[in-house]
């Protein structure tokens, strides 16, 4: 059920140790970090992971960190006509995406959405943090920098193999048509193509259970709809996820080690190589956005498919959604 991995006070204290001097050495002038956080308990492992990100990133020169605590904000999860101030254009056939696009253009969106738009637009790094239930406790951290590249970080626990309802509501309402994507600006040509995103999440199940031979299935397949269908769809360059495997099953010292590893990674996050996705210009819009013949020809003798989703009938590329390209190719 809910993430309770960080319940002992002594462990919680050690996970909130002060940043070391080495954590202040990164060159990060003027960057803003937004953490989108979705967990109910301040004593959870998710809270510790979120706090670690705040501490480390604040210690980096020039970083300022802001947290959108969705439960504390009582953030509205449902996408309704109430998100629009004033009359809608077509009340007889209400279409949320089209109506909110018009409201965005006319500056008629509700205040809670407008505030999050401003945070996201200004952020160099965004972190989404949540917890999971039914033994599938997952954190998502996403990062985006805001100069030549911006980075967002999402931290949350996975609910039923996806994000919790309150975070899905944030995605549905804040990633507004026009603001975050259009039919012409998506995937590698997306509006946020100069930003980076990253998922960092906890699981309730062991890593072995999320393998290609495990009972939960391959984690790479689980992550595809989120990392490709949401983040990359909006153009984000997606960094490899930070996965905390089943922290509730381990003792405090093991959980502390997980957080030490996370703190170490945070210091070099913006220099990491993103995950690999097939570029938009590899598909032909005249044929229903199918792979172009020349791309298929190039891939004909390859051992693996292009990605988890675009696998062209071949074995899935190993760890395509969980490990950096550099992890395998230098």
């Amino acid at each position: 059920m809910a993430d309770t991995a960080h319940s002992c006070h002594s462990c919680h204290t050690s996970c909130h140790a002060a940043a070391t001097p080495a954590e202040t050495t990164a060159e990060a002038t003027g960057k803003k970090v937004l953490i989108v956080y979705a967990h109910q308990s301040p004593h959870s492992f998710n809270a510790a992971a979120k706090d670690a990100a705040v501490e480390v990133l604040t210690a980096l020169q020039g970083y300022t960190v802001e947290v959108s605590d969705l439960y504390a904000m009582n953030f509205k999860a449902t996408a309704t006509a109430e998100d629009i101030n004033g009359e809608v254009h077509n009340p007889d056939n209400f279409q949320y995406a089209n109506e909110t696009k018009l409201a965005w253009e006319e500056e008629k969106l509700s205040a809670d959405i407008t505030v999050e738009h401003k945070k996201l637009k200004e952020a160099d790094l965004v972190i989404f943090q949540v917890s999971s239930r039914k033994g599938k406790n997952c954190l998502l951290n996403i990062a985006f920098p805001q100069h030549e590249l911006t980075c967002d970080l999402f931290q949350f626990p996975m609910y039923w193999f996806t994000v919790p309802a309150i975070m899905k509501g944030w995605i549905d309402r804040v990633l507004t048509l026009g603001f975050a994507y259009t039919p012409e600006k998506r995937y590698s040509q997306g509006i946020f193509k100069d930003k980076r995103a990253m998922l960092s999440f906890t699981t309730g199940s062991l890593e072995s259970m999320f393998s290609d031979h495990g009972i939960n299935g391959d984690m790479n397949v689980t992550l595809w709809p989120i990392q490709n269908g949401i983040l990359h769809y909006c153009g984000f360059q997606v960094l490899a996820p930070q996965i905390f495997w089943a922290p509730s099953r381990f003792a405090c010292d093991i959980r502390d080690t997980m957080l030490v590893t996370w703190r170490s990674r945070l210091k070099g996050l913006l220099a990491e190589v993103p995950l690999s996705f097939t570029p938009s210009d590899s598909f032909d819009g005249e044929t229903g956005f199918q792979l172009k013949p020349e791309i298929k020809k190039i891939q004909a003798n390859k051992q693996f498919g292009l990605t988890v989703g675009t696998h062209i009938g071949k074995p899935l590329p190993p760890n395509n959604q969980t490990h950096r390209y550099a992890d395998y190719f230098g």
Side-chain angles (χ1 to χ4, degrees), residues 18-315:
T20 64
E23 292 168 350
T24 66
T25 59
E27 296 180 2
T29 304
K31 295 181 178 62
K32 292 185 177 181
V33 178
L34 170 63
I35 299 178
V36 183
Y37 175 64
H39 195 285
Q40 304 90 334
S41 173
H43 304 296
S44 66
F45 186 91
N46 277 264
K50 177 261 297 179
D51 290 346
V54 171
E55 291 171 3
V56 173
L57 294 173
T58 299
L60 296 176
Q61 292 179 358
Y63 272 96
T64 57
V65 181
E66 186 169 16
V67 178
S68 284
D69 186 338
L70 300 185
Y71 284 106
M73 294 160 57
N74 196 26
F75 189 82
K76 177 175 171 285
T78 54
T80 68
E82 295 175 356
D83 295 342
I84 300 167
N85 295 318
E87 299 295 325
V88 300
H89 286 258
N90 190 352
D92 295 329
N93 185 23
F94 180 76
Q95 297 181 12
Y96 184 84
N98 292 335
E99 291 284 358
T100 51
K101 177 179 183 293
L102 293 170
W104 169 68
E105 294 172 343
E106 298 166 2
E107 299 184 351
K108 292 170 56 179
L109 285 174
S110 61
D112 61 340
I113 295 176
T114 301
V115 168
E116 297 304 302
H117 275 185
K118 184 176 184 295
K119 294 176 185 176
L120 181 56
K121 186 176 180 179
E122 292 179 350
D124 295 296
L125 173 65
V126 180
I127 300 174
F128 292 71
Q129 180 158 5
V130 292
S131 67
S132 73
R133 68 199 317 177
K134 290 294 183 184
K136 297 159 187 74
N137 215 338
C138 295
L139 290 166
L140 287 175
N141 288 279
I142 304 178
F144 316 98
Q146 174 91 11
H147 44 302
E148 296 180 355
L149 290 176
T150 61
C151 190
D152 295 61
L153 203 156
F154 302 69
Q155 178 113 32
F156 62 90
M158 186 173 282
Y159 278 22
W160 294 107
F161 295 91
T162 188
V163 300
I166 197 167
M167 183 165 285
K168 183 56 164 60
W170 191 97
I171 291 167
D172 290 347
R173 299 178 65 229
V174 176
L175 298 182
T176 310
L177 174 62
F179 170 77
Y181 70 97
T182 69
E184 299 77 26
K185 295 180 179 180
R186 55 183 176 170
Y187 294 118
S188 61
Q189 300 303 316
I191 290 173
F192 296 151
K193 64 182 179 180
D194 291 330
K195 295 179 180 284
R196 293 188 177 190
M198 171 194 160
L199 305 180
S200 167
F201 55 94
T202 59
T203 69
S205 299
L206 298 171
E207 182 176 5
S208 60
M209 298 168 70
F210 276 107
S211 69
D212 55 1
H213 288 79
I215 192 170
N216 290 341
D218 190 340
M219 178 59 83
N220 290 276
V221 176
T222 299
L223 292 176
W224 177 258
I226 304 171
Q227 295 190 150
N228 179 73
I230 298 173
L231 301 180
H232 182 55
Y233 189 90
C234 293
F236 291 121
Q237 296 183 38
V238 184
L239 300 180
Q242 178 73 23
I243 306 176
F244 299 98
W245 297 105
S248 62
R249 297 183 179 224
F250 296 100
C252 277
D253 59 337
I254 302 299
R255 298 199 294 272
D256 278 342
T257 299
M258 292 180 181
L259 291 172
V260 168
T261 301
W262 172 226
R263 293 172 69 94
S264 178
R265 184 183 179 190
L266 283 163
K267 290 180 284 185
L269 201 60
L270 299 184
E272 291 185 0
V273 177
L275 299 175
S276 175
F277 295 87
T278 308
S280 299
D281 60 8
S282 297
F283 301 90
D284 187 353
E286 299 298 321
T287 61
F289 291 95
Q290 296 286 295
L291 276 175
K292 293 178 178 178
E294 56 267 33
I295 303 298
K296 292 181 180 179
K297 184 177 180 180
I298 292 172
Q299 294 298 315
N301 295 321
K302 301 285 187 181
Q303 181 180 1
F304 300 108
L306 287 162
T307 61
V308 167
T310 313
H311 52 73
I312 56 177
K314 293 177 177 288

